[in-house]
Amino acid sequence: MGTGTSEGIPRVCTKATEPGNRNRRLNTSILVRYIRPSGTSNILIDCGKFFYHSALRWFPTFGLRTLDAVVITHSHADAIGGLDDLRDWTNNVQPHIPIYTAMRDLEVMKKTHYYLVDTSVIIPGAAVSELEFKIIHEDQPFVVNDLKIIPLPVWHGSNYRSLGFRFGNVCYISDVSDIPEETYPLLRDCDLLIMDALRPDRSSATHFGLPRALEEVRKIKPKRTLFTGMMHLMDHEKVSEELETLMDTEGLDVQLSYDGLRVPISI
């Protein structure tokens, strides 16, 4: 759904203004679509402030309509800023949407989206998203529409906790500055790792840069890695060419993701 930073790209990147350019990136988010006995299920991970724009582009492209659940990694604007826009689903497509979130992030939403958490304050007749908040715990797997999801606790800056998630052999870590030792066992035997890589030269206080992200790939040893959460300095063509050489030199299958990328997986 999106592979960019909180402010989105283009912002200062003129290259990203070109139609179809893979440097055009909106808030980082993925949608997991899978078949279960009762039919197809769509689970969105994060609903940032540009979610509506991403949905307008990619839902028609891939034949998506319903949202069976939203799972939240953390409570920054690029992860929860689009919750109000879910009204287009709950008013027109389906009666409600479950939101799976840690208690600490729900406490933030009680301030930023108080009218979605406590619907008693809504003026009669007003149209807002109809959401059902469900608490998840970082040390406990949970199930969403028959899909088992394992939280992957990570640090997203000093003393700020974010969650990655594992479903099947896919591990998704969108916002991370450090991985606690207790999380590494949960990353074993990972077929596909989707991980934060903000910029090509160095890490920031809250995000892996590409050098640190590559260090973690070498440690985790996934079969394939896609980097996400990228700023404009992560030029898609230039960095992709550099990453291709790692397959020859180290056998690392590492690539940059891009908005609208569809990846077939087995869960």
Side-chain angles (χ1 to χ4, degrees):
M1 295 297 293
T3 60
T5 55
S6 180
E7 70 269 25
I9 304 168
R11 188 174 178 89
V12 297
C13 179
T14 56
K15 189 174 183 179
T17 62
E18 302 168 1
N21 192 285
R22 290 183 175 177
N23 289 297
R24 179 184 288 267
R25 305 173 179 126
L26 297 183
N27 293 160
T28 295
S29 171
I30 64 170
L31 188 139
V32 183
R33 190 180 199 189
Y34 67 101
I35 304 297
R36 60 194 188 109
S38 59
T40 301
S41 185
N42 300 316
I43 297 176
L44 180 70
I45 298 183
D46 283 343
C47 185
K49 56 189 182 180
F50 294 134
F51 168 72
Y52 186 72
H53 302 277
S54 296
L56 285 176
R57 185 174 185 186
W58 303 119
F59 271 57
T61 299
F62 295 119
L64 300 167
R65 181 168 172 77
T66 59
L67 278 173
D68 295 282
V70 178
V71 182
I72 300 298
T73 61
H74 66 301
S75 51
H76 286 167
D78 56 349
I80 66 170
L83 290 176
D84 185 64
D85 290 326
L86 296 178
R87 70 173 71 180
D88 288 322
W89 279 262
T90 61
N91 289 349
N92 302 304
V93 179
Q94 57 198 88
H96 63 269
I97 299 175
I99 309 294
Y100 291 80
T101 181
M103 178 57 78
R104 60 175 172 266
D105 297 315
L106 180 61
E107 292 299 325
V108 174
M109 294 178 215
K110 287 179 180 179
K111 300 176 182 177
T112 60
H113 295 80
Y114 64 93
Y115 57 96
L116 298 180
V117 179
D118 180 8
T119 57
S120 68
V121 302
I122 299 174
I123 298 173
V128 299
S129 306
E130 183 66 36
L131 309 179
E132 295 181 347
F133 292 91
K134 299 179 180 293
I135 300 303
I136 60 177
H137 304 275
E138 67 175 40
D139 59 346
Q140 298 176 17
F142 59 102
V143 176
V144 181
N145 287 14
D146 301 325
L147 179 65
K148 179 181 178 181
I149 300 178
I150 301 173
L152 303 172
V154 296
W155 294 110
H156 180 29
S158 177
N159 297 319
Y160 186 87
R161 204 73 149 175
S162 182
L163 294 177
F165 298 103
R166 178 171 184 152
F167 41 95
N169 288 331
V170 178
C171 296
Y172 178 76
I173 305 177
S174 62
D175 295 78
V176 56
S177 58
D178 199 20
I179 300 177
E181 285 301 320
E182 60 268 24
T183 297
Y184 284 107
L186 303 174
L187 298 170
R188 289 174 184 157
D189 302 318
C190 176
D191 289 340
L192 174 62
L193 173 64
I194 305 171
M195 190 167 65
D196 192 13
L198 177 67
R199 52 187 298 149
D201 50 352
R202 59 178 175 81
S203 297
S204 72
T206 52
H207 292 273
F208 283 165
L210 185 58
R212 173 67 186 277
L214 287 170
E215 288 179 14
E216 295 297 334
V217 169
R218 295 181 181 105
K219 183 173 183 178
I220 297 168
K221 295 180 171 57
K223 292 181 180 178
R224 180 187 181 190
T225 300
L226 293 169
F227 293 124
T228 192
M230 299 167 287
M231 66 179 299
H232 74 281
L233 293 176
M234 289 283 279
D235 182 82
H236 188 89
E237 293 179 2
K238 181 178 183 294
V239 177
S240 292
E241 289 178 0
E242 296 170 355
L243 293 178
E244 285 179 6
T245 65
L246 296 179
M247 175 60 78
D248 297 328
T249 59
E250 300 183 51
L252 292 182
D253 186 351
V254 288
Q255 300 168 297
L256 299 188
S257 57
Y258 53 88
D259 289 26
L261 173 64
R262 183 167 64 172
V263 184
I265 59 173
S266 296
I267 299 179

